[in-house]
């Protein structure tokens, strides 16, 4: 396996965790490069479900190294909880796990400010995961953030935290929110810092030495293309670069070391949180929710659902330079008689073949649909591409051609074994 960046080609929750788990078999190192514990990546192995938030999904394969890169915003309390949860399930986290010294630390005031801003936005809220992601990246850009290298030095951390708590408590008070306790925060974070210290290292050097030695790196994207701070449906986005470029800045591995970009997309569309979703459709949402699927892996919120949007995925292929596609959740469409695919948007008499940047325009866009006949038979037991119903194959070929990338993986269930390579 070459050095591969894996990204979500839609609005997140495309099934990246499952595909990462499959691709990790061929990789040596799996690295998260952006986002934080707003992510929820689900992997199902032999009936056991794992939900990863900060730890790369590669941790579930023995013998692989996992790295939290410099571009991630890391909640140490959340990470310790996640490590403990995985250990209880028998997952080894020891000399196979590394955390960047320069990853920024999510603090309680970030979470509180995230929640406060959402309340104050009222009906214009973003629908964040309230994990403090936006305020933490805000502090990073404002150059007032605390990093892992600070957290693992107890005295330095205490000094820096004192100053930050003073300033943020003044802001919280002005917003009518309860200030946080410096002493309690310090104690909790220093304890987490002691737990995490053995894993904290210079991951930029580690990753570059590994590629120099011919090791294969898999970059595990979080969120999706349309949640990207630059390329998404701003302001209804997350606060990091979720697109392929973010993997380089978020790891310190240079672009010429990247061999391919893998895009993951569902056979339909989902979004959790607010913001435009041109192909949103209540019937599909009812169908999928009725099957007990499409509830958020991090917040449990029901995901909004719609038809496959090829305008969006074509845009994602362009922005990320997607070479290969994995299409997941094909089985979600098994019962439908007719399947729609959005091939263009219409707005005010104009046709759009790309995603307009103005979210007001995008939210008013009417999809132009092409219709495909459904296959109306269960696909979840199929293990070979050729054994998929012909109509399913035609549909999948059509959406990958419309997207403009090669179809490489087809997924018909959450399990490892429910995966076909083309
Ligand atoms: P991620 O954030 O991109 O890793 O995706 P999530 O884990 O948040 O959401 C994807 C959901 O779809 C999870 O519940 C997966 O177990 C599930 N999943 C992934 N691929 C398939 C598939 O092909 N079929 C079905 N039925 N479920 C799938
Ligand atoms: P994975 O990696 C889906 C969404 C939130 C909200 C917006 C901003 O599992 O695909 P944030 O808390 O990041 O400030 O919220 O982004 N969001 C996700 N949606 N999957 C995710 O991650 C997401 N991470 C954030 O719902 O709309
Ligand atoms: Mg998810």
């Amino acid at each position: 396996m070459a050095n591969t960046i894996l990204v979500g080609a839609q609005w997140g929750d495309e099934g990246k965790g499952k595909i990462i788990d499959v691709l990790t078999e061929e990789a040596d190192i799996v690295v998260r490069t952006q986002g934080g514990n707003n992510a929820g990546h689900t992997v199902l192995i032999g009936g056991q479900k794992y939900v990863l938030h900060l730890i790369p999904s590669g941790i579930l394969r023995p013998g692989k190294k996992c790295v939290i890169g410099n571009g991630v915003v890391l909640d140490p309390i959340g990470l310790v909880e996640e490590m403990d949860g995985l250990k209880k399930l028998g997952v080894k986290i020891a000399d196979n796990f590394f955390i960047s010294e320069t990853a920024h630390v999510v603090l309680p005031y970030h979470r509180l400010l995230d929640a406060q801003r959402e309340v104050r936005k009222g009906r214009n809220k973003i629908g964040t995961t309230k994990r403090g992601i936006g305020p933490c990246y805000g502090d990073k850009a404002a150059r007032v953030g605390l990093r892992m290298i600070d957290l693992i030095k107890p005295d330095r951390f205490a000094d820096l935290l004192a100053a930050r708590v003073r300033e943020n408590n003044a802001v919280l008070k002005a917003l009518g929110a309860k200030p946080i306790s410096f002493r309690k925060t310090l104690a909790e974070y220093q304890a987490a810092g002691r737990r995490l210290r053995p894993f904290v290292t210079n991951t930029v050097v580690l990753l570059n030495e590994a590629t120099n030695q011919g090791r294969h790196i898999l970059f595990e994207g979080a969120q999706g293309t349309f949640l990207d701070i630059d390329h998404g449906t701003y302001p209804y986005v997350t606060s990091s670069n979720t697109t392929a470029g973010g993997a380089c800045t978020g790891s310190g591995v240079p672009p010429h070391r990247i061999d391919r970009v893998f895009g993951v997309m569902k056979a339909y569309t989902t979004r959790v949180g607010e913001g435009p979703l041109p192909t949103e459709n209540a019937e599909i949402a009812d169908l999928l929710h009725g099957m007990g699927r499409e509830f958020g892996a991090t917040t449990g919120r029901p995901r909004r659902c719609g038809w496959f949007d090829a305008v969006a995925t074509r845009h994602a292929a362009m922005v990320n330079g997607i070479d290969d596609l994995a299409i997941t959740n094909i089985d979600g469409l098994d019962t439908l008689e007719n399947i729609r695919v959005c091939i263009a948007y219409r707005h005010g008499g104009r046709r759009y073949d790309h995603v307009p940047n103005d979210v007001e325009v995008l939210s008013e866009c009417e999809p132009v649909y092409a219709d495909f006949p459904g296959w109306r038979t269960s696909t979840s037991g199929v293990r070979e591409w050729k054994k998929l119903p012909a109509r399913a194959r035609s549909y999948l070929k059509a959406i990958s051609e419309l997207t403009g990338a090669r179809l490489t993986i087809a997924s018909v269930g959450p399990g490892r074994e429910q995966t076909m390579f083309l």
Side-chain angles (χ1 to χ4, degrees), residues 10-307:
Q10 295 161 320
W11 276 269
D13 302 328
E14 295 90 348
K16 298 177 295 293
K18 174 192 158 152
I19 302 301
I20 285 283
D21 171 63
V22 169
L23 295 179
T24 298
E25 194 171 8
E26 307 279 309
D28 300 299
I29 305 178
V30 186
V31 50
R32 274 280 307 271
T33 60
Q34 42 72 227
N37 61 356
N38 50 348
H41 296 178
T42 316
V43 183
L44 189 72
I45 306 168
Q48 177 64 55
K49 180 174 154 179
Y50 303 86
V51 183
L52 290 310
H53 299 286
L54 273 165
I55 301 174
S57 305
I59 202 78
L60 303 174
R61 295 242 186 210
K64 309 296 178 177
K65 287 187 175 162
C66 285
V67 174
I68 295 184
N70 55 277
V72 168
V73 289
L74 193 156
D75 182 334
I77 312 292
L79 178 57
V80 168
E81 262 172 39
E82 189 174 339
M83 289 166 68
D84 288 344
L86 286 174
K87 278 185 185 161
K88 272 197 198 125
L89 295 172
V91 178
K92 180 192 158 201
I93 303 174
D95 56 357
N96 56 341
F97 182 48
F98 306 88
I99 301 170
S100 168
E101 292 169 337
T102 55
H104 277 250
V105 176
V106 178
L107 285 144
Y109 49 78
H110 292 135
R111 284 193 299 272
L112 291 170
L113 287 170
D114 191 355
Q116 276 299 318
R117 283 179 192 159
E118 285 284 275
V119 171
R120 297 177 82 80
K121 281 198 164 107
R123 61 183 192 86
N124 294 323
K125 72 172 196 243
I126 296 166
T128 75
T129 60
K130 300 201 177 75
R131 298 294 189 271
I133 306 298
C136 186
Y137 275 117
D139 276 1
K140 175 178 178 177
R143 295 154 298 177
V144 293
L146 304 192
R147 303 186 295 174
M148 288 306 289
I149 204 166
D150 305 315
L151 178 70
I152 60 173
K153 298 204 166 138
D155 293 341
R156 186 204 286 185
F157 184 72
D159 289 345
L160 291 170
L161 183 71
R164 298 305 302 142
V165 167
R166 245 190 325 272
E167 182 183 314
N168 282 286
N169 273 350
V171 176
L172 285 167
K173 272 191 223 154
L175 293 174
K178 234 179 103 183
I180 66 162
S181 153
F182 167 69
R183 289 163 70 98
K184 185 166 168 275
T185 306
L186 182 66
E188 282 172 5
Y189 274 67
Q190 282 180 336
R194 280 192 294 277
R195 277 286 302 278
L196 299 177
R197 188 184 301 135
F199 305 101
V200 177
T201 188
N202 187 331
T203 53
V204 175
V205 172
L206 181 148
L207 290 168
N208 279 283
E209 282 179 359
T211 51
N212 289 342
Q213 290 161 7
R215 301 273 180 276
H216 298 308
I217 304 181
L218 180 56
F219 298 83
E220 177 171 350
Q223 290 82 48
T225 299
F226 296 97
L227 294 173
D228 184 287
I229 182 92
D230 286 278
H231 301 289
T233 54
Y234 193 91
Y236 302 100
V237 293
T238 190
S239 299
S240 65
N241 283 117
T242 62
T243 46
C248 290
T249 50
S251 66
V253 176
H256 75 283
R257 290 290 194 188
I258 305 301
D259 300 295
R260 76 172 170 171
V261 179
F262 223 105
V264 185
M265 55 194 208
K266 280 179 174 146
Y268 48 90
T269 305
T270 65
R271 171 169 207 165
V272 59
E274 307 306 314
L277 189 65
T279 62
E280 188 164 16
N281 179 286
E283 270 170 59
I284 305 187
D286 288 347
L287 171 78
L288 294 164
H289 292 152
M291 293 157 84
R293 13 200 311 181
E294 301 310 345
F295 294 91
T298 295
T299 57
R301 291 177 290 177
R303 295 175 183 148
R304 298 157 63 197
C305 303
W307 299 113

Side-chain angles (χ1 to χ4, degrees), residues 330-352:
I330 296 162
D331 54 308
L333 302 177
D334 282 351
T335 57
L336 292 169
E337 202 172 316
N338 181 54
I339 303 174
R340 313 203 86 180
V341 172
C342 170
I343 52 166
Y345 304 143
R346 243 183 240 297
H347 183 267
R350 184 176 158 193
R351 184 185 159 112
Y352 283 87

